[in-house]
Structures are given as C-alpha cells and as structure tokens.
Amino acid sequence: MLKYRFAGQPWGTFLRTTLATGLLTGAALLLSVPAMAEEAPASDGTSEAIIVTARQRPENAQDVPAALSVVGGRWLDQSYTLNTQGLTTLVPALNYSSANPRNTAFTIRGLGSSVVAVSQANDGLEPGVGYYVDGVYHARPATAAFDFSDIERIEVLRGPQGTLFGKNTTAGAINIVSAAPAFTSGANLELSVGERRFVQARVSATGPLAGDTLAYRLSGTITRRDGVLRNVRTGQDQNTLGTQAVRGQVLWQPSADFRLRLIADYSNFSSECCTQVYLRVGTSLRAPGRQFPALAAAAGYAPPSTNPYDRLTDIDAPLAVKTSEGGVAATADWTIGPATITSISAWRFWNWDAANDRDYTGLPIQLIQRIPSRQDQLSQELRLASNGDHALSYVAGLYYFRQVLSGHPDSVYGPYAAPWLIGRTTGANATPVPANLLDGYGQSGDTRFAVDSYAAFAEVNWRILPRLTLTGGLRYTQENKQGDYSTTVFGGLTTASTALNNAKLGVLRPQSYSASVSDGSLSGRANIAWKPLEAVLLYASFARGFKSGGINMSGLPLDTANQPALATAVVRPERNTTWEAGIKAEIWNRRLTLNLAAYHTTVRDFQATVVDSSQTVALRGYLSNIPEVRVKGIEADAALRIGALTLTGALAYGEGTYTSYPAGPCPLEVQTAATAACNLTGQRLAGLPRWSETLGADYAVPAGGGALVLHADSNWRSGYFGDPTLSRYTWIEGYNLTNASIGYRREDADGKGWEIAVFARNLLGANYIQNLTIQAGNSGLILGTPSDPRTVGVTLRLRR
C-alpha cells in the first residue's frame, strides 16, 4: 500500500496546511466554469468559433438553432471533470443519480430515467437520455459511469433527439467526441495525487504511421482512491475508486475524399463499492412494532451514526463492484462531390457483477443481492449529408441496432430476515413465525432481453432568404423486443404450514414468463431560424419524439390464478411533444456570448410506477405508464472574455408536474400494512431541481515567461424529491459544490509545454446527499449517499 508523507507529515495534512491559502485566494477571484464550450480566445481577446456536430455536420455552435451545451477537453482538464457525474457541475440542465454504476440515471430538463428506483436497473427498458461516444450509441446507462479518457469535447443536447441521432430519446443526448489521430507527433501526460491516496494518471500519444496517409492515437487513464465511507464493523474504507481505460485508434486517409477511423477501447471499474449510510427515519401508519425504531430496538441494533456526514456504515455483507465495457468501431467518410457518405459500424459489450448489502445495516437480514449481467450490442448507421453552404442542405440515413442482455439474479436472506421483514406472526390466524424461517432462503434465475431496432431518417434545411432558414425532419423507427424471465426459490426453513410458506413466497416467489412487443413510431421536428444580424440568431422549434417502450424484466405482479400478470409485462413508449424558442447572440465584438431558451414539454404515457388491481389479483405496484407529465422552463448561459479573463455563467429553471397521475405509490407517511394507491396528479416531478446555476472563471496572469492560471467552478441546485412517492422524508436539500485550482503554466503557441497546479474538489467542504433509497420492507429507514469530502491534490501536466 502506498503511503504519502512530506517532512514527516501525512500527504493530506501537508497539502491542506501549505496550499489551502493559495487555493482560497485564487477561488475568491473566480466564479467558476459552467456549461459553455471550450473557446480558444483569438489574439484580440474575442472567441473563436466552437465547431460541433450536433446536427451530424460540422458547424458553429452559435448557428445551431437548438439548446445545447459544449464542454471542450481543456475545460474538462481545468475543472477536473473526471466523468459524467462531474459533468453535471458544468451543465445545469443535466442531472445525475447513481446508487452504483448499474443504477445510473441521467435526466435532462427532468426527463429521462427520473430517479434511480424507476427504470435504469430494469434491463427491459431504455434510458431517455441517449449516450453516444464517437457516434456510437451506448444502450446501458451504466457504461456512462466510467472515467473520461482523451476527450476533445462533450456536447449535451437538450430536448427530443429523434431525427438525426441513432436512437430515439425524449430528453436529450450526451455526445462525447474523443480526440482523433493526428499526422503531427504529440504526447500528453497528466499525473494527479491527492488526499485519501487519490492517484490518477492520463497519457496519450499520436502521430503518423505512414506519411500523411496513416496515423495512430493511443490513450489511457487509471484512477485510484481510498473509500470515503468507514465501516466500523470491519475497519475498512468503502466506496473506493478503481478504474482504468485504454483506447487505440488508427486513421487511414488515402485521399482528401476518403477517411476511415478505427477505434478499439476497453474500460474497467473494480472497487469496494457502493453502499449508503443512515440518513433519517420516517414514520408511517403501519403498526408501531413494524417500524424501524421498534424493529431496531427488538434486535438491539443502533446505526453507527445518525449523522450521514460522519460517513459511517456497519454493513455485514460483502461489498464489491466489478464491471467492464469495451468494443470496436469503424467510421468511414467518403466525399462524392456534393455529398458525403458516412458509415458507422460498431460492436460493444458490457459486463456487470456486484455484491451488495441491500438492508444497509449491520443486521444479517439480506446476505446476497446481485445480478451478474452481460450485454452485447451491434449497430450500423449509414448517412448521406450534403456538403457546402447552399440554400438547400440535407442529412438522410438508415440505422440498425441489436442488443442482447442476459442476467442471473441471485438473492439470499439471512438469520434475521424473518423478524425484520415478516414479524412475529403471519396470516389471518396469527401463526407464529420461527426466527429462522428465512435463513438461507433465496432466489436464483435467468433473464434474457433482446431488441432489434430499425430506423430511416431525413432532415432538410431550406434557406428561403439569406438569413431565414426552415428545417424539417422525420424519422420512422420499428422495434421488436423479446423478454424471457425465469426464477426459482430455495432454502429457508422447511415447513408444512401454509401460512408460513405463503409468508416466504411474499418475500421471494418463483416466476417464469415470456413477453414480446413490436412497435413502430414516427417522430420529427420543424424549426425556423432567423438571423436579424450576423451575430444574432432567433429560432423557434416544434419536436415530437418518443422513448422506446419495453418489457418489465424485474418480475411481475400476480393475476387471479396466482400467475404472473402478463398484461403488466409490456411498458408502452413515452410520447414527447416539445415547443422551444431561443436566441443566440455574440456582441461587443464577440467578446460577450448570450444564449436564452424557453421550452414547454408534454410527455404522454410517461413510464412510472402505478398501483392498481385492473390487471392483478389485488392492489399492486408495478412499472407501467401514467397519462401525462409536463415540464416547462427557461435556460440561459453567458460568457464574457476580457483579455486573459473568462467569466461564464449558466442558469436552468425547470418546473415539472405530474399533470395526470391518478394511481401512484403512496408516500411513506400515509402507508399502512396494506398496499394503497395515491393520487399524485398536480404534484412535483421527482428528481428535478427547480433551479440550477453554474458560475465560473478562468484567469491567466503572465509571470516569469509563463502564466499563473486560476480556475474555479461552482454549481448550486435547489432541493428536489429523490423518490417517486414524493414522501417528505425523501426530500433532498439543495446544495452548492465549488471546485478550484491554481497553477503555473508554460507553453508555446502550439500549446506544448508543462503545467503544475494545486486543485481542490469540493473546496468548501459542502455536505449534501447525492441520492437516497428507502429500505426494502418499508420499515421507514431512509439511506443516502453523502457527498465526497473535500479532496486537495497536485497535478502535473506535460504536452509535447
């Protein structure tokens, strides 16, 4: 094990005492870096154009008549944004929630997979936010949990993205573009060390292999960090970090009209992760003896701390995450006079395994909870796009996607499961429950989900006047899905008692079912854009998109014959209608950039948990569709450049409402022993802060042939509900997260040189909850993932 010490002091103490003053001084000068693009200032202090491919063709971001945020590679480096979780600090409209990498959810404007509990861990459903890397769609949100490696830029597109991007998504898309091979030799090295034995190394190298025809690029990253939670039972640190990634590329460019880019990548995440700590206890209308205080007292149990920011746990089951993903892709661009043909062919995989303690306590309630999974996907996209600046331009294409995902759910309960989950008696006759009824009782099984998706799309831009352009696009998607689910139960106390056996089945029940669905959907958008001045763009758009339907692959409620209710297996697609209007402007000789957007979105057949008995033998909660959700809001961002100083700011206001949710799950405070439905119509949409803002600054002060470089970024989000029940006990308070760095940089006009910097993540030591979970069994125990504590470190960068 590595130990960092300096002059007899622990590394963390040295960094805090020696360098904190410099950081605070630098931070006081800064506001922070929001979701604006990386813009290299021109020699006169103005900004250069930010080129994006949000509409599948290179163009200035300020000329794209849509709401988007762009973060360049230099911004990612300076803000120490390691992954998509950190990206939310720079993009206010983007929200992230993750109890572990598999249960990762992204939302844009509150839509997508709104909370961890709803859909993202259900293999039969798809995310509402598309995640793309170098034009390749990644079907499982878990693959977005890996660290970034050698990124050129990230584009976050807000609103439905059905017309041009590979998969239909109702909320938006995260489009990651990695750095491409170059025919000029170059290499980058970055090494960071910090508190809690944080170590991160990033390397990349590029150059020619054969003149100006063949070039390569190799890049890799590795991250290690001790855990931020302390297990008082084992003495170990938990929620550690351990990731590594490697990417190799070859670019073949035999002529100016043809280029082929081959990419192979592999990422791995292996750590003692991920658990949560005691947050609070909520009360319900259940019998007092079935609520957490009485249950804990009967077991002689007390949490290690009732303050989540002590970051203490006492879980007694193994904890580990092992997940990996990778693949190969080939992107070919062939220019044939007035148009370019693009082909993107890709195969990817994702492996997952984890050990969890899903009761989150030191009691042996649940010993094993895991779903080892394997996902393989194939995709092929073929596009034809016009070249040049003409009155009529277009993009048209075909898309095919296939995914096969298999899982093996495995769950085993322990010796204290029966007292905690069932109680002392069960059934109408109050049959006494043996304490060991569920000891060793478990479930194992196999699931398989397969999808074939076919699409044809086209979008046309018609410049009817020199500064007035109309855009129209359509996409038709046909999807066929098949799901197979089979589980069995085993173990536990053998008994002839019907009441006791029914109690066991109430905890885990064997099930076997198959379901399929075939659906075709038409989506599209229309847009009008007007440039009253060369540096001012006004636009208005209308879009209709859909989030693909799916099959519930987590088990079904029962029908009157005590069999899986197959009518509840299929979840219908979400239908999204969005109106948006905005303005993009560059004024004061392009030193000041101002962008504004207003939107109104209605989603029909929103995928959520419903509670009813129309398809089941009794009131049961299951994943289905509710009639309607509405989200409306405004977004603004600005950047001001004065010489070497760049000030940036971004603001997002979103108001989400369940406009029709007649049979939702009840909040904890009104729950009884019986299942009930609650009308949530008119209530706030879960998982959406109404306000989110980012402020930032970067400043370079000339010094000694180089520059003293100051940076900070600060994001504030208002409070929101962390669970779809909208219980007051699941309210997550608003918070502010501030990061900063101060360093010295020497580089030439080509950007080659070196830099050394001191950084602080969570500079002000903010305590906040990232996400929360209601303990299974509804005892009232609420668990949460606390924020990472302040981390101070040093980074060395070399660019050659």
Side-chain angles (χ1 to χ4, degrees), residues 101 145-147 221-227 237-245 266-274 319-325 350-355:
F146 296 95
D147 284 354
T221 182
I222 183 170
T223 304
R224 296 288 186 272
R225 190 207 62 195
D226 283 349
D237 290 335
Q238 299 189 315
N239 286 15
T240 64
L241 286 180
T243 68
Q244 43 272 324
Y266 175 80
S267 300
N268 174 268
F269 183 105
S270 180
S271 64
E272 193 168 331
C273 186
C274 303
L319 183 70
V321 164
K322 293 183 179 179
T323 182
S324 60
E325 66 124 3
W350 168 64
N351 281 321
W352 166 265
D353 196 7

Side-chain angles (χ1 to χ4, degrees), residues 557-606:
L558 303 179
D559 60 18
T560 55
N562 211 32
Q563 297 297 314
L566 292 179
T568 67
V570 174
V571 182
R572 298 188 303 276
E574 293 181 356
R575 309 289 178 177
N576 178 304
T577 301
T578 296
W579 296 87
E580 182 179 310
I583 178 172
K584 296 185 172 186
E586 293 179 295
I587 57 179
W588 193 18
N589 195 25
R590 299 185 182 272
R591 288 182 172 85
L592 176 62
T593 300
L594 292 172
N595 296 330
L596 297 170
Y599 65 90
H600 184 285
T601 298
T602 301
V603 182
R604 293 182 293 110
D605 287 332
F606 186 76

Side-chain angles (χ1 to χ4, degrees), residues 169-188:
T169 51
T170 52
I174 301 172
N175 184 36
I176 296 179
V177 181
S178 67
F183 290 98
T184 301
S185 296
N188 296 319

Side-chain angles (χ1 to χ4, degrees), residues 125-165:
L125 297 182
E126 296 185 356
V129 175
Y131 186 74
Y132 299 84
V133 180
D134 294 322
V136 178
Y137 174 69
H138 289 215
R140 305 316 304 167
T143 63
F146 296 95
D147 284 354
F148 295 143
S149 176
D150 204 15
I151 302 301
E152 177 185 312
R153 70 179 184 278
I154 300 176
E155 304 169 4
V156 180
L157 290 76
R158 310 193 288 271
Q161 303 297 323
T163 305
L164 293 179
F165 274 82

Side-chain angles (χ1 to χ4, degrees), residues 604-628:
R604 293 182 293 110
D605 287 332
F606 186 76
Q607 295 170 0
T609 298
V610 302
V611 179
D612 84 349
S613 59
S614 62
Q615 307 293 338
T616 61
V617 67
L619 280 174
R620 289 289 185 271
Y622 56 91
L623 192 63
S624 186
N625 303 86
I626 66 174
E628 189 177 272

